[in-house]
Amino acid sequence: MINLTIFASGGGSNAEAIIQHFNNHPTIQVNLIISNKTTAGVLDRADRHQIKKRVIDRTDFNDPKKMLGYLKETETGLIVLAGFLWLIPAYLVEAFPNKIINIHPALLPKYGGKGMYGQHIHRAVFENKERESGITIHYVNPKYDEGNIILQARCPLQPDDSPEVIGRKVLALEHRFYPVTVEMVAIQSE
């Protein structure tokens, strides 16, 4: 069995899509959700699906012994970032080479880097009058949004699409493509 650990900071709609995708999967399961916020909605999703959860603070996150211990305890084979806003430290990238993936709600390298997430991105896309947006699923390295790209998916934008409309279009792509890409990477990484 390939065990997935999801790192998330928010509501967890991508985590939910991934969890549902792997319900009753013969070889892949989500077995841990880690969040850096005690109020994150993703923790409620973990409870509903009876998935182990852990809330971490910066001290935990920057302690290789602790973090690697949590991941070893659950026999984590792949780490999936689903709206996790902290930069992944080098020790974790080294411990899980090409086994940490992230989804970014823009077509990297555009609109990447520190501070570029969620509505910040969609507002920037709107203000720059982009004709398309989309998602980038990529491997994680020790820099924000600079890992090798696994997949990009695009959606056309209309001139009157607000940042909220752009966000909904991009989220639909995330839910459609992230679970199947996670599955592909998990199988390849075994």
Side-chain angles (χ1 to χ4, degrees), residues 120-139:
H120 300 288
I121 292 171
H122 306 315
R123 195 171 303 110
V125 167
F126 171 78
E127 289 170 358
N128 289 323
K129 299 178 176 34
E130 297 284 358
R131 292 177 175 244
E132 67 177 1
S133 190
I135 62 167
T136 304
I137 300 170
H138 63 92
Y139 290 106

Side-chain angles (χ1 to χ4, degrees), residues 66-78:
K66 259 190 189 173
M67 283 302 296
L68 294 175
Y70 299 151
L71 298 169
K72 185 177 181 184
E73 178 183 298
T74 56
E75 298 179 3
T76 297
L78 185 70

